[in-house]
Amino acid sequence: MRGNDSAGLPGAAFFTPGSSSFTEFLAAHRPRLLPTAPPLPPGTRMAPDRFPHGTTVLALTYRDGVLIAGDRRATMGNLIAQRDLEKVHPADDHTAVAFAGTVGLALDMVRLYQVELAHFEKIEGVPMSLGAKATRLAAMIRQNLAQAMQGLAVVPLLVGYDLTAPGGGRGRIFSFDAAGGLYEKQQFHAEGSGSPYARGALKKLHRPDLTRREAALVALQALYDAADDDSATGGPDLGRRIFPVVSVITEDGFERLPETETEQLSRETVRQRTDRPDGPHATL
């Protein structure tokens, strides 16, 4: 961001005491750099097939923490706009965010959110609490309401490992609506066009005592179900070797599963579906 004086030194704004929120600082001094700046005239609504949209993302808690995953497809109407989009991103060491919705705005919002958390920690000297992180993201989504009403909605999914939770650390999941409504979800959740099918799979397969490997397989089965019934969701692409992004957050922090592990688990999921096309059954 440009904020230097004629001598090349930082401007006065950088030395003026204020909020620990980088978003508020940007809104005060360079509001046009915010991803929430309206791109269209008031009253204009964008056709849904003009911008790439990301689709299905999901999260579930497991024995050691929380897992978050997403398919790789972006669509523009009935067209596949991108086959290898990454919808899951670390926000900081113990938090991750995934998104469904307008890709360009979502990626800008994720980058701004990453800076927001880092800026707060530098100013305050301590990380933001997980509940405060969720509230801060909800406020950013609320600032995007005008664009959402124009058809450019962004719907994130936030997960984190709460080191300060009563009784010991645990994974937590937060969902949002397009107006910035904040909802904590228990055990699992999914967002995007394929989310009803993914949530159905998660409902029958999730268990609190899942290992990391079992949790990853449950996530891949849920994404497979979403791709099976929702054309905007992409399944494992064995030919191009494009597989869902799967990440976990535990007491040790954020970790994206290696591509080799995700490929092996994806191929195992496809083999299971060859024998049982409708997927595994829940244990009674």
Side-chain angles (χ1 to χ4, degrees):
M1 183 180 74
R2 292 182 179 178
N4 297 345
D5 60 21
S6 58
L9 299 174
F14 288 91
F15 300 99
T16 303
S19 168
S20 57
S21 169
F22 181 77
T23 304
E24 292 179 8
F25 176 81
L26 206 59
H29 299 284
R30 293 291 187 276
R32 295 300 302 178
L33 296 180
L34 288 169
T36 53
L40 304 172
T44 304
R45 183 171 178 83
M46 180 54 62
D49 59 349
R50 295 296 180 91
F51 293 107
H53 275 67
T55 48
T56 309
V57 294
L58 59 85
L60 65 145
T61 57
Y62 71 106
R63 185 178 64 190
D64 299 323
V66 62
L67 178 147
I68 186 167
D71 81 308
R72 305 293 294 276
R73 179 173 291 178
T75 59
M76 289 194 301
N78 64 322
L79 301 177
I80 297 176
Q82 188 172 346
R83 301 180 187 275
D84 60 352
L85 176 66
E86 299 207 359
K87 306 172 188 176
V88 178
H89 302 268
D92 64 13
D93 290 343
H94 287 89
T95 317
V97 61
F99 65 84
T102 307
V103 172
L105 294 180
L107 290 173
D108 277 352
M109 187 177 292
V110 168
R111 296 186 191 105
L112 179 60
Y113 186 60
Q114 291 168 333
V115 174
E116 178 81 1
L117 299 188
H119 181 77
F120 178 93
E121 186 169 350
K122 289 178 180 178
I123 297 297
E124 299 294 337
V126 294
M128 194 181 297
S129 70
L130 184 54
K133 292 174 187 177
T135 301
R136 190 62 60 91
L137 183 54
M140 293 174 64
I141 298 167
R142 195 172 300 117
Q143 293 172 352
N144 192 58
L145 180 59
Q147 296 189 56
M149 297 298 290
Q150 294 177 320
L152 302 175
V154 176
V155 183
L157 182 61
L158 179 72
V159 303
Y161 189 85
D162 192 347
L163 295 166
T164 64
R170 63 185 179 93
R172 298 172 67 185
I173 302 170
F174 299 90
S175 72
F176 308 83
D177 60 34
L182 170 61
Y183 315 93
E184 183 164 3
K185 300 296 183 178
Q186 303 300 318
Q187 299 186 332
F188 58 84
H189 191 62
E191 292 287 0
S193 60
S195 61
Y197 315 107
R199 284 199 295 268
L202 292 170
K203 185 180 292 186
K204 70 177 182 179
L205 298 176
H206 179 268
R207 303 191 319 273
D209 62 342
L210 292 169
T211 65
R212 187 179 93 156
R213 185 179 189 278
E214 291 170 337
L217 282 171
V218 167
L220 291 172
Q221 290 284 358
L223 289 172
Y224 196 106
D225 271 351
D228 201 31
D229 288 297
D230 173 46
S231 61
T233 303
D237 191 333
L238 303 184
R240 295 182 177 88
R241 298 185 66 186
I242 299 173
F243 306 100
V245 174
V246 181
S247 299
V248 296
I249 307 176
T250 65
E251 185 177 6
D252 296 328
F254 175 91
E255 179 189 358
R256 174 170 168 166
L257 269 61
E259 192 73 16
T260 53
E261 184 177 355
T262 307
E263 178 176 354
Q264 185 269 323
L265 294 174
S266 296
R267 291 184 182 277
E268 182 175 337
T269 299
V270 172
R271 285 195 299 270
Q272 292 175 357
R273 290 300 181 117
T274 301
D275 299 329
R276 180 174 282 178
D278 292 333
H281 295 171
T283 302
L284 298 177

